[in-house]
Amino acid sequence: MSGRVRRRDARGMVTAELAVAILAVFSLFVLLCWGLVLIVVQLRLVDTAAAVARQEARHDAAAVSRARAEAPAGAVIHVVRQPTQVRVSVSVRVRSFARGLPAVPLHADAVVVPEPGSPR
């Protein structure tokens, strides 16, 4: 034993590092999923605002109700009709699916000119 150096046992060290790395990757994955959810909801708000504004400008009540039905759950749709434009605002608060993440308010607007032959 005179020429041998005894190595310290470090088998548990890799396990602890792996556990921390897995938690970090999982946290990043949850945040990325949350970001994707917010992007999808924002796109749905933009589409809803544009569709409702377009149908309101045409005075098509059936199409307006169909466009409103496509809005995300809990969305608030506000329509302002003026002689020269129709302004639609859609907003919603998106609650997180993970504990500790805050609800995020999202908002979209659309403005269109009423169609020439439509009643005012």
Side-chain angles (χ1 to χ4, degrees):
M1 276 215 207
S2 61
R4 289 184 151 180
V5 177
R6 188 170 178 183
R7 288 185 49 183
R8 197 169 159 197
D9 191 17
R11 286 183 292 176
M13 189 63 152
V14 174
T15 305
E17 290 169 351
L18 185 61
V20 170
I22 288 173
L23 287 175
V25 168
F26 179 74
S27 298
L28 183 63
F29 178 73
V30 168
L31 288 174
L32 288 174
C33 288
W34 178 234
L36 286 175
V37 166
L38 292 177
I39 290 170
V40 168
V41 172
Q42 180 65 38
L43 290 174
R44 287 185 63 199
L45 288 178
V46 170
D47 287 345
T48 299
V52 170
R54 201 170 35 248
Q55 301 310 328
E56 280 283 347
R58 293 179 182 155
H59 288 277
D60 188 350
V64 168
S65 64
R66 282 193 305 272
R68 284 178 178 260
E70 294 296 321
V76 177
I77 301 172
H78 184 67
V79 178
V80 176
R81 180 175 276 287
Q82 298 172 342
T84 59
Q85 67 182 5
V86 175
R87 182 179 301 271
V88 176
S89 174
V90 183
S91 60
V92 69
R93 285 185 61 85
V94 182
R95 280 184 261 151
S96 169
F97 53 84
R99 221 176 247 185
L101 292 178
V104 177
L106 297 176
H107 181 79
D109 291 319
V111 179
V112 296
V113 177
E115 298 217 355
S118 65
R120 295 186 188 240

